[in-house]
Amino acid sequence: MARRGAGTRFLLQLSLLLLLHLGGTLGCASVTVGSPIVPLGSAVTASCTIQRELCRGLEQGKVRISWMLDKKLVAGSQRQGPGGTEVSNLTLPRFNHTQARLWCCVEWNGTKQRVGMAEIRAGYPPAKPLNLSCVLNLSDYGLTCQWEQGTDSHLPTSVVLKCSGKPRPLPEGARAQCSVCRRSRAQAVTGCTPRGGHSHCTVPRRLLQLYRQMEIWVSATNALGTAESEHLCIDPMDVAKLDPPTLQSIQSIPFQTDCIALAWDVAWGTEHMELQCELRYRAPEDPAWALVTGIIGRAGTAQRCGFLFGTQYHFQMRCRRNSASALASWSEWSPGRNYTTHEKAPTGKLDAWWGAQPAGTRGRLEVQLRWKAPRQREANGRVLGYRVTLSPRRRGRGPPTICNTTHTQCNFSVPAGTRRVYLSAYNAAGESAPTEVVLLEVKGQPLAGLRAVPGDERSLWVHWEAPLAPVIAYILEWQQVTTEPGHCGECWQMERDGAATTALIQNGIKPFQRYNISLYPLYEGTVGVPVHTTAYSQQKAPSHAPKLHLKRISKSEAELCWEPLPVEMQNGFITSYTIFWANSITDAASTTVNPSLSSFVIRGLKPSTLYKVHIMASTAAGGTNGTSLTLVTTVLDDTEIQFLFLTLGLVFVVLMVLLVCFQKNERMKEQLWPSVPDPANSSLGKWVPAAVPQEPLQVLAAREAGPAAISTVTVLEGEPGKQPGKEHPALPAAPPALPRPYVRQEGPGEPVQYARVGGAGYRGQRLLPEPAPRFYENLRGRGNGGGGGAGDWGFLEEPPATFPLLQGLRIGGAEELHECRAD
C-alpha cells in the first residue's frame, strides 16, 4: 500500500508538471518588480499574478502562491484579484545581493512549481575616474590617456573618453597655467572607448586639434547614474613625449678643474621646438642623483661646477617643450655617458692609530701604524700609495722613508727615543701634506663604563661615559672572536668629537658573530687605558649543542661533562645549559646549569636502571638540543664495590695463609686432619702364622644378626691395679709369650685374621666394667689367674704412631707395626 501511495503521488506531480509545461507559463503568471536594478541595500517590491484559466490543472481548487529568492524561501502576502486572478505581493526591506533571481511559485498537492521569475541586480553609481593624464606620441600623433577607475560599482558600466575643442586659443601665460578647465559649451565627441576593462585608450589624430586648447575628460555611466573625471584643458602638443636628447661630449674647463662643459643635441624631429631640459649625474659611491634644472634651448652646451677632483661621474639628460604645462611628459633619460675629472694632490689629514712595544735588547721600538684611507673628497683622485718618514718633508730634499706601501698599515722599527713619525698619501698629481703621528704612552685615565647594543644585523651602537678630563678624540677597535686567533687591521675608527658618548660601528659587522670592542680615550699628551666589552649585532639559537660525555657513574649518581661550543657555533651569548634525563618508567626531569660550568652531577638515580640524557644549549634567541646519551647505573657504589673486593681479598689471603700453613706444618695437619689408616689395607691382614691350632667352635643355637660372622675374639685384660696409660714400675726381664691369633677360613675365600684386644682399653680413660662373656668370646685369659703381675700380658706397649684413633690399644701378633715396641 505504501508503494502504491508513493507512486500515485509521483504520477500526480508529473501530470501537474506536464500540464503546466504544455499550457505554458506565458500568461499563466506574471511577475513585476519595482525596479530590476536598485542600489545595494535598498528595498525591493515585487508582485505575482496567477490567472487560473491560463494555468491548466489549476482551474479547480485553491491556489497558494509562494516566493523564492534564488534558493531561499521568502514570505509574501496573497489576495484575490479581479477577474478570478490570484495576486501575491512581496517586499524585501534590504536587498544585499549584487545579483539574484526572484521566483514566483504555486503550490499544488504539496509541491512548489516555478511559474514566473524576475532578475534583480544591485550596486552603486559609478565612481569618479581619477588622475587623468595624456601623452601625445609624435610617431603617429595619437593622444594616449590613462586614468584610475575607482571602486567597482557591481553593475555594467560604460566608460568613454570624451573631448571637445575650444573656439579660441588661450593666452600663452594662461595656457601654461591651465590644466583643469571649466566645462566647455562646445559639442563633445567620444574620443575613444577602452577595451577589455582597461583604464586607458588612444584618441586618433583626426579628432585632435594640435596647437589649440582641447577639453578632455572621462565619463562612466551605469543604470544608477553617471560620473565624470576632472576636465583637462591642454594643447596636445604640450603633452607630446619627445625622444631623448644625445650627449655629445664632456670636458673640463681649463684652469677650473672643478667645472665641466657638456655639449648636447636634440632628437630628430624636435629641432624647431624650444626645449626645457634637465641634467643628472652621480659618482659610483653616491646614493642619489644630483639634478641640474633650467637648461633652456634647442641645442648647445651647458656648464656645471662643484665636481670632485679625480672622480668618475655618470651623466644623463632629458627634455620636453618649454611651453608645456605642468602635466607635460618628459622624454626618457638619454643614454648615459661617463667622465672622470682631473686629479689634484690629496688634501686633509689622515686618521692614524698605532701600537708600539720594545724590540728586544737592541734599543729599538717596534711600531705597528694603521691609518684610514682618505675620503674621495680629500683624495682628489686615485691614491697610489702612502709614505711614512721620521721627519717632515723639506724643500730641496726629502726625508728618509721608513715605510712606503699601498696598504693602510705598516710595521717598522725606530730608535727607542722616537716620539713622532709623519704619514702622507700621494697620487699622480702630487703628495699630501704630512700628518704628524705622536707615539704616546697608554697610561691615561680609563673610561668609567662601556656597553654595546645592536643597531641592526650589520651594525653596533657603542655607548660610554665621558671622563672628567677633557678628551681630544676616541679610538674604537673591534675584533671578531674566533677559535683561530686573527687580527683585522681595518676594524677600528676614530671619533674626533671629544664630547661624543656614542658611536656607530658599521664596517665588517656580521650577524651571529661575537665581537670584542675596545675604546681608547686620547688625552692631551697621553692615551687612556682601554675598556672592553663584547656584543652581537644579532643572535639566534646555537648551531649545535655540546656533546655529553660520561665521567663517572654509580648506583645513584652520574657525573657528566662536555666541552664548550666553539664561539663560531654559539650564535649568541650562552645563557644556560639545560640537562634532561629520563628512564622508561618515570617522567623526564631537567635542571638548568650555569653556562660557566662544563660538568654536572645527576643525583637521585635508581640502581641498575637505564637512563637517556641530553643537553640543550640556550641563548636569548632560542635553544638547540644535543644528541642523546644512554647510561646504566650500577648495582653498587664504588665504596661498596671496594669493600666487597677488599673483603674477598682478605678471605682469599687468609685461605692462602692457612693452606700454606697446613702444607708446611705437619703438627697442625695431624691435629686437624689426623691420618687414619684403612684397616682393610693394613699389613696385619697379610700376617698369618704357619700353624694355626684348631679350637672347638661353639655351635650357636640361634645365630645373632650382624653385619659379619665373628669366629673367635680373645679379650686380654691388664694387671689388676694397673692404670691405663701408665707404665708398671717393675717389668719382667724377658717378654712373655704373646698370645697367638686365631684364623678362621670362611669358605673358599682368603683367610681373615683376628687379634687379641687388651682389656686395658684407651689410655687415660676409665675402663668400663667387664661384661659377662658372650657365647662367641674366647674365654682364654679372662680373669687374673696365673702369674699375677704380668703373666701372659706382661709387656710394655706404645701407641702406634700411624694409628691415632687406636691409641691405648694393645695389639698382639703385629710385628710389622714397628712403631709399637715391647719392653
Side-chain angles (χ1 to χ4, degrees), residues 532-781:
H532 310 279
T533 188
T534 57
Y536 282 88
S537 63
Q538 187 178 0
Q539 300 187 54
K540 67 176 181 179
S543 300
H544 303 284
K547 184 178 181 180
L548 283 177
H549 301 280
L550 182 61
K551 186 176 182 181
R552 177 181 59 84
I553 191 168
S554 65
K555 71 176 184 179
S556 60
E557 295 180 354
E559 184 176 0
L560 306 173
C561 62
W562 58 90
E563 295 182 359
L565 286 174
V567 68
E568 294 89 350
M569 300 296 178
Q570 295 181 11
N571 299 331
F573 294 109
I574 301 296
T575 57
S576 65
Y577 293 111
T578 305
I579 299 177
F580 301 87
W581 67 91
N583 56 27
S584 58
I585 301 175
T586 59
D587 295 334
S590 64
T591 186
T592 301
V593 182
N594 191 289
S596 61
L597 300 179
S598 60
S599 64
F600 180 74
V601 179
I602 303 177
R603 308 182 190 277
L605 303 179
K606 296 181 179 180
S608 187
T609 305
L610 184 143
Y611 286 88
K612 289 189 176 181
V613 187
H614 73 273
I615 188 172
M616 180 178 71
S618 301
T619 65
T624 301
N625 288 321
T627 57
S628 179
L629 173 67
T630 301
L631 54 89
V632 179
T633 55
T634 59
V635 179
L636 300 175
D637 281 332
D638 292 342
T639 305
E640 296 174 344
I641 295 175
Q642 294 175 3
F643 180 77
L644 178 61
F645 276 103
L646 182 60
T647 304
L648 294 177
L650 290 176
V651 171
F652 178 75
V653 170
V654 171
L655 292 177
M656 293 299 295
V657 170
L658 292 177
L659 182 60
V660 171
C661 291
F662 293 152
Q663 292 291 336
K664 300 299 182 180
N665 194 336
E666 293 294 337
R667 180 177 297 178
M668 184 177 295
K669 179 179 179 182
E670 294 295 338
Q671 291 296 329
L672 297 179
W673 295 293
S675 179
V676 180
D678 188 0
N681 298 324
S682 175
S683 61
L684 295 178
K686 303 178 181 179
W687 180 79
V688 180
V692 180
Q694 291 290 336
E695 294 187 6
L697 298 177
Q698 299 179 7
V699 179
L700 302 179
R703 189 172 182 177
E704 185 177 346
I710 300 175
S711 59
T712 303
V713 175
T714 302
V715 179
L716 305 178
E717 294 182 0
E719 292 179 335
K722 183 180 179 180
Q723 296 299 328
K726 294 184 179 181
E727 299 292 340
H728 197 275
L731 296 177
L738 296 176
R740 293 179 300 173
Y742 292 85
V743 178
R744 181 179 176 181
Q745 188 73 23
E746 292 285 349
E750 297 180 356
V752 179
Q753 181 177 340
Y754 296 88
R756 297 184 181 90
V757 181
Y762 294 94
R763 292 181 181 178
Q765 296 184 6
R766 183 174 56 86
L767 296 178
L768 297 176
E770 183 177 0
R774 296 185 182 276
F775 65 91
Y776 53 80
E777 288 182 338
N778 186 355
L779 298 181
R780 182 182 178 181

Side-chain angles (χ1 to χ4, degrees), residues 305-381:
C305 297
F307 293 94
L308 300 179
F309 295 100
T311 304
Q312 184 185 47
Y313 289 94
H314 187 73
F315 294 88
Q316 285 183 311
M317 197 173 189
R318 66 178 181 178
C319 298
R320 68 177 180 180
R321 284 190 65 199
N322 188 26
S323 59
S325 65
L327 297 178
S329 297
W330 289 93
S331 68
E332 298 295 336
W333 289 101
S334 67
R337 191 179 181 92
N338 294 328
Y339 180 74
T340 301
T341 58
H342 292 172
E343 289 190 355
K344 182 181 177 181
T347 57
K349 298 293 184 180
L350 297 174
D351 292 338
W353 177 233
W354 68 93
Q357 59 182 359
T361 59
R362 297 177 299 172
R364 306 286 292 181
L365 190 68
E366 289 289 341
V367 179
Q368 181 187 24
L369 183 62
R370 294 176 288 170
W371 57 89
K372 292 292 185 180
R375 293 181 291 271
Q376 183 62 37
R377 184 176 297 275
E378 298 172 348
N380 296 331

Side-chain angles (χ1 to χ4, degrees), residues 492-509:
W492 68 277
Q493 66 187 40
M494 176 180 287
E495 299 293 329
R496 292 190 174 275
D497 185 5
T501 56
T502 60
L504 180 63
I505 301 175
Q506 293 179 298
N507 182 25
I509 300 298

Side-chain angles (χ1 to χ4, degrees), residues 279-282 288-292 304:
L279 176 69
R280 69 177 185 180
Y281 61 90
R282 69 173 179 181
W289 293 89
L291 187 64
V292 180
R304 177 69 178 175

